[in-house]
Amino acid sequence: MSTSALRYAESNRDRFLHDLETLLRIPSISTLPEHKGDMERAAVCLRERLAHIGLRTELVEGDGHPLVLAEWLETGDAPTLLLYGHYDVQPVDPLDLWETAPFEPTIRNGNVYARGASDDKGQVMTLVAAAESLLKTEGRLPINIKFLIEGEEEAGGNVIDAYVAGHGGDIKADAAQVADTSMFAPGIPALETGLRGNVYTEVFVRGASHDLHSGLYGGVAPNPLNALSHIIAGLKDPYGVITIPGFYDDVCMPEEAVLDDWRSLPFDERQFQRDMGASALVGEPGYTALERTWARPTLDVHGIVGGFTGSGGKTVIPATASAKISMRIVPRQNASHIFELFTQRVLDLVPPGVDVKVDLLHSGEAVSVPPDSNFLKAAALALEDTFGRPPVLTHSGGSIPIVGTFKDRLGLDSILMGWGLPDDNLHAPNEKFSIDNFSKGINATIRFWDRLSAAQ
Ligand code: BES
Ligand code: MN
Ligand code: MN
């Protein structure tokens, strides 16, 4: 057991936090073109950190934001882990709801607040700090590691896809470790054995060639916003059941024993609802809230653009309207087939007088992890050593597109072991990351790698 590495991690805790804060100050928002330079700066910052601790590093540039690679492969026939995370972050709007500025990391109540703190820079830095702690104290690592840290996870970009497709042969690993998920609750670590996939679309509607006075033309002019509303209303019923023909055909639910395990988790639906700040939980009847988020597919509208939204009234019939709509999919559903069914349904719902176009922005398949692998067992023991209790096996409703690709392209299963908390405000104002979980994540990662080498 690498006691000296664990001690090093303990005594360097403030400096690790400082390194994280340096990365958090770079506004690496991958979806906004004006942050292109910040993406490059964040990639270089990470690369320099990884080089500084003794790894061989490389930046892979492609049609998008750079991919940061780093490796240390000197431990002979010990297992090789692919270490995955992302340095890109989500946009910060609405800015006025942040208590402190999103790119000025601030410590409050044992948390660091900043965009990307939990998703995913804080988690990436647990991997970097674990590697540093081992290399600085023992001069070597118990296993071989290869970092793949992308800058397009939130943007559905393809630099990492292209790299995996073109360099599959170079990525000789035995499993992937993904630091981009959450614990079940404070003090309760989790290993996720399932993630939902997603299919993200945009629907464009055009009516007349230009905006029209709704008094002079109302009654004869096609209205793209009305048409779009009609289409959206035809995708899902008021109870949350998706009304796209064939949508549920391939859905495969977890076994009854797994669902039983979920029922025994300490989860209070009422409390979940109250924390959400909504007056009720909605969704498919006949399923628990955990089943609905972890194992059932769903469909959500994320934004609608069109017409007049300023103050006061403007009697206009807009010429165009559009909506962003995505579906979360589950094992056995196939992203491109679901996109076809979606497109067909949208086109079937188009009322007279408008033209509709459906685009696929990006997609990723659902993920299932075998619950009995040696890697998962080693991770579970490491978590128990760190947290003083074994992890719960859960799923998550979120998506990490490349994890499905690791499995389909490289045959790699992933260990989904993350340090976020359910209330970390991912993608929302006041994102935070627990500093205690940051330290425990480093500790558990060192123990995990140790256990993998001992299992040889
Ligand atoms: N890290 C999240 C996904 C996540 C969060 C998984 C918590 C498990 C627990 C990831 O960064 C994310 O937000 N993914 C996007 C993917 C999309 C943009 C392609 C998502 O799920 O919406
Ligand atoms: Mn993430
Ligand atoms: Mn995210």
Side-chain angles (χ1 to χ4, degrees):
M1 180 51 61
S2 310
T3 350
S4 52
L6 294 174
R7 225 178 303 117
Y8 179 97
E10 228 8 80
S11 52
N12 281 273
R13 177 190 151 116
D14 288 349
R15 211 251 314 145
F16 288 154
L17 189 58
H18 179 264
D19 291 344
L20 170 57
E21 287 171 341
T22 303
L23 189 59
L24 287 171
R25 282 196 188 91
I26 307 174
S28 48
I29 305 171
S30 53
T31 50
L32 302 180
E34 61 269 32
H35 288 282
K36 179 95 188 132
D38 296 317
M39 296 305 298
E40 195 75 33
R41 281 206 296 138
V44 168
C45 170
L46 248 180
R47 179 198 186 158
E48 281 171 356
R49 194 69 230 130
L50 287 159
H52 181 77
I53 66 176
L55 273 59
R56 211 176 73 203
T57 64
E58 191 187 331
L59 280 195
V60 176
E61 308 271 355
D63 179 20
H65 306 305
L67 173 66
V68 182
L69 301 187
E71 62 183 27
W72 199 93
L73 303 171
E74 331 260 311
T75 315
D77 49 11
T80 301
L81 271 189
L82 195 70
L83 305 176
Y84 171 81
H86 58 95
Y87 67 84
D88 64 324
V89 304
Q90 286 271 329
V92 294
D93 55 284
L95 193 55
D96 54 321
L97 295 185
W98 286 78
E99 277 173 40
T100 49
F103 297 108
E104 284 166 25
T106 309
I107 313 279
R108 291 197 297 276
N109 311 322
N111 298 303
V112 51
Y113 282 81
R115 170 58 88 231
S118 178
D119 187 13
D120 184 38
K121 289 170 175 174
Q123 308 218 36
V124 166
M125 292 307 272
T126 61
L127 299 171
V128 178
E132 174 183 330
S133 302
L134 284 158
L135 285 168
K136 288 285 185 247
T137 53
E138 316 201 334
R140 61 187 291 279
L141 297 177
I143 56 164
N144 301 303
I145 57 173
K146 181 153 189 161
F147 279 88
L148 239 61
I149 311 295
E150 71 164 314
E152 300 184 308
E153 197 275 343
E154 305 288 11
N158 60 18
V159 171
I160 192 169
D161 285 298
Y163 180 78
V164 170
H167 296 74
D170 304 350
I171 310 177
K172 288 207 192 61
D174 298 288
Q177 178 181 352
V178 174
D180 192 23
T181 59
S182 298
M183 293 173 37
F184 182 70
I188 309 184
L191 287 169
E192 271 104 351
T193 56
L195 295 177
R196 289 194 288 191
N198 92 326
V199 177
Y200 202 114
T201 76
E202 190 159 10
V203 176
F204 300 90
V205 184
R206 171 165 277 287
S209 63
H210 52 279
D211 287 6
L212 300 166
H213 187 297
S214 73
L216 306 182
Y217 293 90
V220 294
N223 185 323
L225 272 172
N226 286 62
L228 186 57
S229 310
H230 175 75
I231 291 168
I232 290 171
L235 298 173
K236 199 175 177 183
D237 79 10
Y239 307 101
V241 178
I242 292 158
T243 48
I244 299 174
F247 184 85
Y248 291 100
D249 285 1
D250 299 324
V251 167
C252 171
M253 286 294 281
E255 287 166 21
E256 201 47 45
V258 172
L259 298 178
D260 267 346
D261 272 356
W262 293 359
R263 285 183 204 112
S264 70
L265 291 170
F267 183 79
D268 179 347
E269 294 203 2
R270 279 279 150 270
Q271 193 54 46
F272 187 55
Q273 175 212 320
R274 276 195 288 266
D275 291 346
M276 233 167 59
S279 62
L281 293 181
V282 302
E284 276 185 290
Y287 297 96
T288 66
L290 289 183
E291 287 164 1
R292 277 181 249 156
T293 53
W294 290 356
R296 298 295 298 170
T298 188
L299 178 149
D300 278 289
V301 180
H302 306 292
I304 298 181
V305 178
F308 177 70
T309 56
S311 57
K314 181 186 181 201
T315 46
V316 66
I317 297 177
T320 61
S322 66
K324 298 196 192 262
I325 305 174
S326 87
M327 288 151 283
R328 297 284 167 172
I329 58 173
V330 300
R332 305 278 168 83
Q333 287 184 302
N334 169 271
S336 52
H337 181 59
I338 289 296
F339 178 64
E340 276 171 33
L341 295 178
F342 173 83
T343 306
Q344 195 50 58
R345 176 68 176 161
V346 168
L347 297 180
D348 286 347
L349 287 164
V350 175
V354 295
D355 289 323
V356 172
K357 183 164 85 72
V358 184
D359 277 359
L360 177 65
L361 297 194
H362 50 76
S363 67
E365 304 293 351
V367 171
S368 303
V369 178
D372 47 10
S373 77
N374 288 336
F375 287 93
L376 210 74
K377 285 180 192 148
L381 291 170
L383 286 170
E384 183 163 2
D385 289 342
T386 299
F387 288 89
R389 59 151 295 155
V392 290
L393 290 191
T394 65
H395 281 204
S396 169
S399 309
I400 310 175
I402 197 64
V403 178
T405 311
F406 286 159
K407 178 71 184 174
D408 298 342
R409 282 246 170 209
L410 307 174
L412 284 187
D413 284 315
S414 293
I415 299 304
L416 300 163
M417 180 164 62
W419 319 111
L421 286 175
D423 67 350
D424 273 350
N425 296 323
L426 307 187
H427 298 198
N430 305 309
E431 180 176 348
K432 66 168 174 66
F433 188 44
S434 149
I435 295 169
D436 188 43
N437 287 356
F438 180 51
S439 295
K440 290 208 165 78
I442 298 166
N443 184 293
T445 300
I446 295 171
R447 292 178 187 273
F448 176 44
W449 296 352
D450 259 337
R451 288 205 173 257
L452 287 181
S453 96
Q456 278 300 291

